[in-house]
Amino acid sequence: MDHFTLRDGAMHAEDVPLSAIAAEAGTPVYVYSTATIERHVRVFREALAGLDDPLVAFAVKANPNGAVLATLARLGLGADVVSGGELMRALAAGVPAEKVVFSGVGKTAEEMILALREGIGQFNLESVPEADMLSDVATKLGLEAQVAFRINPNVDAGTHSKISTGRADDKFGVAYDRALDAYAHAAALPGLKVVGVAVHIGSQLTDLGPSRAAFERIGALIAELRAAGHAIATADLGGGLGVPYNPALPPPPSPADYGAMVQAVTADWNVRLIFEPGRVIVGNAGVLVTRVIRVKDGVGYPFVVVDAGMNDLMRPSLYDAWHDIRAIEPSGERATANIVGPICETGDTFARAREMDRVEAGDLVAFMTAGAYGATMANTYNSRGLTPEAIVNGEDWAIIRERQPIEALIAADTLPPWLNKEKA
Ligand code: LLP
């Protein structure tokens, strides 16, 4: 459920008409709803109510905006980070270091130093060479890193191939049948304290079966690790729970369904559970507001050309993702159209043959469910400044990232001496 609703014929974010934000911020612009974020945190926590002190570490990659992170930090969430940059953003937003988990296959020595000095809660290691590097870095600093190994359980999550992460051939984690060797190796290294296990099999999961299978394997591994003498105190079950994008499809399992499954599978694990939800917290808490530039004839259906492009919202182009597209002030008429952006690629297509509100040049349109993996994946292709973002809280709203001016893009490039006449 979200707080983007029609009132008096116009879509509002909570109590603010989206047209008011578009008028001031211009388009395209991402708009987030605080009440929706808060609701999703509450629902996720309620789903875990039977667990003893779980750590919910928001996957920063889903939406790293400082205002969004500060909203979540105030609600007491931790952070799952995958880079030094995400770590710095989480800390700057007020997430305590001990609630930070550092994931990712390619942590560098510099990132390890930063995380160790800040005193983060846990490193999720993805390989034995990474354990060797962290041991080396921690020993030189005279610090100790709390570590888990991310295990690749060889389970197909049944989601889009590009966001599946738990199949044997995917780049993530330590193979399940090599886990005992990896733990024996890490336990003997100085500067590391083995504290847990971790798993994450993919994103936008719409069936609990694969997660359940993966968690059952992790449960069996915990028993084997303990039998081998390792003190396993934490189990990080990753993120991945899907959200409803298309109202015509059956909804994905709810957080309550997910929580019940987790509680059933982990009942006798005797660990502190860690969760890394991203999309389920922020996905439906954001929309991308765009304006129709013009409507152009097509052979089949007309092309509705909007001022957002694939650089602003990459998901349809990258994963053939389906986002609901609604007029902000719908006339009640419906039409079928292709929705495209201004970018010079056919991939810059948001929807083909989509039956939706009929819109004309000048109308405002919202791409729904754009709060996760939207603004964070935006780029400047076709020399378009990064998309601005705004957040609503009841009747209040504020810009939380200004539109990047083209001058800033131009100024970021420098000329080599032979082209720089002034300095030559
Ligand atoms: N933990 C780890 C280790 C992850 O790799 C991810 C997401 C998450 C947690 C959060 O997953 P979530 O709860 O958001 O599903 N750009 C893609 C999604 C990539 C997800 C990458 N990892 C998209 O737009 O669908």
Side-chain angles (χ1 to χ4, degrees):
M1 208 210 88
D2 61 55
H3 291 261
F4 297 95
T5 48
L6 278 183
R7 287 193 201 169
D8 300 327
M11 197 191 297
H12 285 56
E14 305 183 30
D15 299 330
V16 180
L18 288 174
S19 59
I21 298 177
E24 211 168 309
T27 51
V29 57
Y30 279 94
V31 180
Y32 310 123
S33 152
T34 303
T36 311
I37 295 173
E38 288 171 347
R39 178 177 190 281
H40 291 168
V41 169
R42 197 166 57 242
V43 167
F44 197 81
R45 280 202 168 127
E46 279 166 13
L48 307 177
L51 297 172
D52 183 21
D53 189 30
L55 172 64
V56 180
F58 174 67
V60 171
K61 63 176 82 70
N63 191 322
N65 184 286
V68 171
L69 295 182
T71 303
L72 295 169
R74 279 196 194 182
L75 296 171
L77 265 60
D80 161 52
V81 304
V82 292
S83 68
E86 285 191 352
L87 170 58
M88 287 168 73
R89 277 181 181 271
L91 296 173
V95 177
E98 65 269 18
K99 287 189 184 176
V100 174
V101 176
F102 199 158
S103 306
V105 291
K107 299 178 203 78
T108 63
E110 292 72 26
E111 290 174 320
M112 290 173 177
I113 292 170
L114 174 69
L116 281 164
R117 286 206 172 122
E118 294 292 346
I120 67 157
Q122 180 171 309
F123 290 84
N124 287 348
L125 300 175
E126 303 225 7
S127 64
V128 167
E130 189 191 345
D132 290 334
M133 182 190 268
L134 183 60
S135 164
D136 192 41
V137 170
T139 311
K140 282 188 185 133
L141 291 176
L143 296 169
E144 188 178 61
Q146 311 224 77
V147 303
F149 273 108
R150 175 170 176 179
I151 304 304
N152 182 322
N154 191 20
V155 169
D156 188 338
T159 183
H160 191 284
S161 179
K162 286 185 186 167
I163 52 175
S164 277
T165 55
R167 301 164 297 191
D169 211 21
D170 293 333
K171 69 174 175 175
F172 296 99
V174 171
Y176 186 83
D177 48 16
R178 298 196 195 147
L180 281 170
D181 290 345
Y183 275 87
H185 182 90
L189 290 174
L192 301 189
K193 183 176 180 204
V194 171
V195 295
V197 289
V199 67
H200 171 81
I201 61 167
S203 193
Q204 186 53 18
L205 308 182
T206 53
D207 173 4
L208 291 179
S211 295
R212 186 182 187 112
F215 298 165
E216 281 168 350
R217 299 204 82 182
I218 295 300
L221 180 64
I222 290 173
E224 285 185 55
L225 289 169
R226 284 182 173 149
H230 302 285
I232 300 298
T234 68
D236 182 338
L237 300 184
L241 186 58
V243 302
Y245 280 96
N246 185 340
L249 295 180
S254 67
D257 297 339
Y258 172 82
M261 180 275 282
V262 165
Q263 299 196 36
V265 175
T266 65
D268 60 359
W269 287 14
N270 200 12
V271 291
R272 182 183 197 204
L273 290 177
I274 302 173
F275 298 87
E276 304 172 350
R279 193 186 316 259
V280 76
I281 302 294
V282 291
N284 278 308
V287 300
L288 174 61
V289 178
T290 180
R291 197 177 288 280
V292 178
I293 300 174
R294 63 183 60 87
V295 179
K296 174 181 182 276
D297 279 350
V299 173
Y301 300 103
F303 291 98
V304 171
V305 186
V306 296
D307 66 5
M310 64 191 277
N311 69 301
D312 300 297
L313 178 63
M314 291 186 75
R315 306 194 65 261
S317 170
L318 260 187
Y319 320 112
D320 294 316
W322 199 102
H323 285 262
D324 201 11
I325 306 176
R326 299 187 202 159
I328 279 174
E329 293 183 7
S331 65
E333 273 183 78
R334 306 279 291 172
T336 302
N338 302 316
I339 319 301
V340 301
I343 301 243
C344 298
E345 294 199 22
T346 301
D348 186 27
T349 297
F350 293 110
R352 283 188 186 280
R354 175 73 63 89
E355 206 241 289
M356 56 172 280
D357 298 320
R358 206 179 94 77
V359 289
E360 299 175 354
D363 287 351
L364 289 170
V365 164
F367 289 95
M368 309 304 291
T369 318
Y373 308 109
T376 180
M377 292 173 70
N379 57 73
T380 61
Y381 189 38
N382 279 205
S383 289
R384 295 160 54 84
L386 287 177
T387 332
E389 297 167 271
I391 195 164
V392 173
N393 185 25
E395 293 177 354
D396 296 331
W397 72 274
I399 302 269
I400 53 173
R401 186 168 75 190
E402 297 284 349
R403 184 181 308 284
Q404 186 180 35
I406 185 61
E407 290 77 10
L409 280 183
I410 293 171
D413 296 348
T414 50
L415 289 178
W418 61 90
L419 292 178
N420 193 339
K421 286 203 189 92
E422 274 156 25
K423 284 193 189 153

